[in-house]
Amino acid sequence: MANSITTLALFQHHSPARSSPGSDNVLVCDDLRPIMAFKCLRRLDFNLNWNVELSDDDLMELASAWHHLEIFLINREWGWRQTSHGITPDGIVRLLQTSQVTESTCPRRGRAKLR
């Protein structure tokens, strides 16, 4: 079954009080590791009212698991609200050099078409 899943989406349409900005809800690479089993993933679209803590190395780990990934969207509506340095421009360049990603959500810069 893991080899047949090409799209994975998870959306939060409202903000419960326990998920307010500044809460302990943080999306980290460990949260995404279980779905690395979906080797045919072409689109990943998460939109949660959580802080996002991903680094350049995390991005490369995800890209190495999803060779067919074309669209990578995380919190395009809610934003990232990072507390660490997170993903750098160099990390985005490395992602583009090693994957097929053509559309991505870049931290603090909104959605970008990458061609």
Side-chain angles (χ1 to χ4, degrees), residues 41-57:
L41 203 61
R42 293 188 178 280
R43 179 187 179 105
L44 177 69
D45 190 350
F46 281 11
N47 198 23
L48 306 170
N49 187 17
W50 288 23
N51 295 325
V52 177
E53 294 291 336
L54 294 175
S55 68
D56 289 348
D57 291 338

Side-chain angles (χ1 to χ4, degrees), residues 45-102:
D45 190 350
F46 281 11
N47 198 23
L48 306 170
N49 187 17
W50 288 23
N51 295 325
V52 177
E53 294 291 336
L54 294 175
S55 68
D56 289 348
D57 291 338
D58 295 337
L59 197 60
M60 293 311 300
E61 182 179 348
L62 297 170
S64 69
W66 300 319
H67 298 286
H68 303 287
L69 192 66
E70 297 172 0
I71 299 174
F72 181 67
L73 303 169
I74 295 183
N75 281 7
R76 59 191 157 111
E77 300 294 327
W78 290 103
W80 282 47
R81 299 184 309 268
Q82 287 185 268
T83 57
S84 68
H85 292 90
I87 297 171
T88 67
D90 288 340
I92 298 291
V93 169
R94 285 177 37 209
L95 172 69
L96 294 173
Q97 290 172 338
T98 60
S99 72
Q100 297 181 37
V101 172
T102 59

